[in-house]
Amino acid sequence: MLANVSSAALQGIDAAPVQVEVNSGESGEPKLIMVGLPDAAVKESDDRVFSALSNSGFKMPRTRTTINLAPGDLKKEGPFYDLPIALGILDATGQMEAGVAKNYLIAGELGLSGETRPVKGALAMALLAKETGKRGVLLPTLSAREAALVEEIEVIPVESLDAAHRFLTGEIRIEPFRQDAFFDAAPAQPAGKADFSEIKGQQTVRRAVEIAVAGLHNILMIGPPGSGKSMIAQRIPTIMPEPNLDEFLEILRIQSAAGRTLSGELGFMERPHRAPHHTISDVGLLGGGSIPGPGEISLAHQGVLFLDELPEFKRSALEVLRQPLEEGSVTISRSAGKVTFPCQFMLVAAMNPCPCGYLGDAKHECRCGATQIQRYRSRISGPLLDRIDLHVEAPALSIEELRTEKEGENSITMRERIGRARERQQQRLPESSTPANARMTHSQLRQFCALDDALGNLLQRAMEELSLSARAYDRVRKVARTIADLADSDAIRAPHLLEAIQYRNLDRNLFY
């Protein structure tokens, strides 16, 4: 008897339809044959499925059984297909009427006892079900929560193979997860969360970070060890505006495709903050693999990518950042296919001024020679440095600053100012998918960052004295526009432009 169950396969962050065809009752030696480009994890599903069927009280097929995962030219990976294969076997052996099953996309890993375990890509599956006109999805309970964010489909959570069987045969009713229940179950913000009020001193760096977050500009902090660079970077997400539902769905699609769910590392309605170690490989940073998966730059989409000790990263790993920083997406081509991942992140980088870290420190003597310093800084190429909008020095803190009990400005106050600046940008760039000054196109730059003759001459002199590139010229104007937004100004004025130029003082010749 032939049975057909609908499932899906992940391709990047999207899901592609897969039909699980089960044919039982064939003549020959009793065994299970699986075809359709399954990987090792899929091939192992027969042992899990047979144990789950037996321990759930179902009969095992006593004839030759063929399982085809169609289409046959699409690589299948992971334990996605345990649940649909088991349900297909029950249908093919006459233990279940699967008329209802055709209305759902089904996926889930099975334990040996028959309980379901979560799978990655649940949100992508829910979106595919909506696109293909299915009634909904049938998923393990821990995966179903994120899928409930997709409207107009049913998300049926099942805790076991037996529960899925009884639901599809009409023996029991399972209430679908609702989107409002998702929001009601959102966890409260943990007490004692990191806050900018804990940062002592570093007013210049705090100001630069506020400008960077307001316009989604990339920022580089340079200072000696212990000056608070990492501490500041860890608190940047606390001053970023909360993502709207569409942005959170984008974030969740990528996190879900990487196996990170709301019950794991990702918090509810939070922007991601990724901080990979400097030993990370090119593939780990950019993404890839035999079946392409998202890397750190994509996992930081709509959030922050923090690269501490920037010159210690491999040169090749840093250079792969150049195109994604410009385009906001990365395309990975492999034999299994070509996949494009979004990666609109804010780059926050930190580094020491020299190998020993104490160049320019009044209390510590620098042990580095000029050649060592030049070699250390040259690990960061000029084109990459051009793509970082703000360069700011983070000097060592004095004992008086460390001893003070006075708290700095808190994250809530900073986030309110940043929110007002973002609102101005949304009104100015209503058609943009990410309305932020750093994402302005060339036509928008000409329209909204126009300079009068006096300001144009001022910027020209700065360009000549600092030997800035054409890319840096545009970025100075974008930063000046953000500073004007924070000052609630409709036009870029001289103080805004001068402050923006100040953040390029470490560029090119002076930096090297």
Side-chain angles (χ1 to χ4, degrees), residues 229-301:
K229 304 184 296 296
S230 299
M231 192 173 178
I232 290 172
Q234 290 167 358
R235 283 154 179 76
I236 287 178
T238 67
I239 62 173
M240 299 185 81
E242 186 178 275
N244 58 39
L245 184 57
D246 289 338
E247 289 175 332
F248 187 64
L249 280 173
E250 286 184 13
I251 294 169
L252 193 56
R253 283 179 69 190
I254 300 172
Q255 303 289 332
S256 177
R260 296 172 174 84
T261 65
L262 290 169
S263 58
E265 299 178 24
L266 184 64
F268 175 75
M269 295 301 282
E270 286 186 354
R271 295 184 182 272
H273 180 272
R274 306 295 299 180
H277 193 261
H278 60 77
T279 57
I280 191 172
S281 65
D282 303 7
V283 172
L285 193 62
L286 189 69
S290 58
I291 298 179
E296 290 291 335
I297 63 173
S298 296
L299 294 173
H301 179 62

Side-chain angles (χ1 to χ4, degrees), residues 366-382:
C366 177
R367 305 186 300 272
C368 308
T371 304
Q372 288 177 292
I373 296 172
Q374 183 179 11
R375 187 183 302 115
Y376 177 75
R377 294 190 174 189
S378 64
R379 296 177 187 174
I380 306 171
S381 67

Side-chain angles (χ1 to χ4, degrees), residues 9 90 111 202 337 375:
L90 292 178
Q202 301 297 11
R375 187 183 302 115

Side-chain angles (χ1 to χ4, degrees), residues 144-145 148-150 153 155 175-184:
R145 184 183 171 207
L149 284 172
V150 180
I153 65 166
V155 178
E175 286 296 325
F177 270 1
R178 303 185 319 277
Q179 192 181 88
D180 55 350
F182 172 91
F183 288 108
D184 292 341

Side-chain angles (χ1 to χ4, degrees), residues 51-107:
S51 294
L53 287 169
S54 176
N55 289 322
S56 299
F58 298 110
K59 297 176 182 178
M60 307 297 294
R62 299 183 181 278
T63 59
R64 177 187 169 105
T65 302
T66 301
I67 298 172
N68 179 37
L69 305 177
D73 61 346
L74 180 64
K75 183 75 173 177
K76 321 301 188 305
E77 66 167 351
F80 267 84
Y81 310 103
D82 291 4
L83 183 57
I85 287 173
L87 293 173
I89 291 175
L90 292 178
D91 187 9
T93 55
Q95 301 178 70
M96 181 183 78
E97 285 290 338
V100 180
K102 65 182 181 181
N103 298 321
Y104 294 91
L105 284 184
I106 302 174

Side-chain angles (χ1 to χ4, degrees), residues 106-262:
I106 302 174
E109 180 182 353
L110 291 176
L112 299 184
S113 64
E115 84 279 7
T116 58
R117 292 172 179 166
V119 292
K120 61 184 181 180
L123 181 58
M125 283 194 63
L127 291 169
L128 176 64
K130 183 177 180 179
E131 292 170 6
T132 55
K134 296 288 186 182
R135 182 186 298 174
V137 290
L138 200 70
L139 294 168
T141 303
L142 291 178
S143 298
R145 184 183 171 207
E146 64 192 53
L149 284 172
V150 180
E151 298 177 329
E152 301 174 5
I153 65 166
E154 292 182 2
V155 178
I156 306 298
V158 292
E159 297 184 351
S160 66
L161 171 60
D162 181 61
H165 168 264
R166 295 171 67 194
F167 168 77
L168 293 175
T169 55
E171 292 183 32
I172 62 170
R173 172 172 173 76
I174 299 177
E175 286 296 325
F177 270 1
R178 303 185 319 277
Q179 192 181 88
D180 55 350
F182 172 91
F183 288 108
D184 292 341
Q189 292 292 337
K193 191 174 181 180
D195 193 276
F196 256 91
S197 62
E198 300 162 348
I199 304 295
K200 298 187 177 181
Q202 301 297 11
Q203 295 303 318
T204 301
V205 183
R206 291 171 63 104
R207 169 66 174 171
V209 165
E210 183 174 330
I211 294 168
V213 174
L216 281 183
H217 302 287
N218 304 318
I219 183 171
L220 171 64
M221 298 178 285
I222 305 178
S227 57
K229 304 184 296 296
S230 299
M231 192 173 178
I232 290 172
Q234 290 167 358
R235 283 154 179 76
I236 287 178
T238 67
I239 62 173
M240 299 185 81
E242 186 178 275
N244 58 39
L245 184 57
D246 289 338
E247 289 175 332
F248 187 64
L249 280 173
E250 286 184 13
I251 294 169
L252 193 56
R253 283 179 69 190
I254 300 172
Q255 303 289 332
S256 177
R260 296 172 174 84
T261 65
L262 290 169

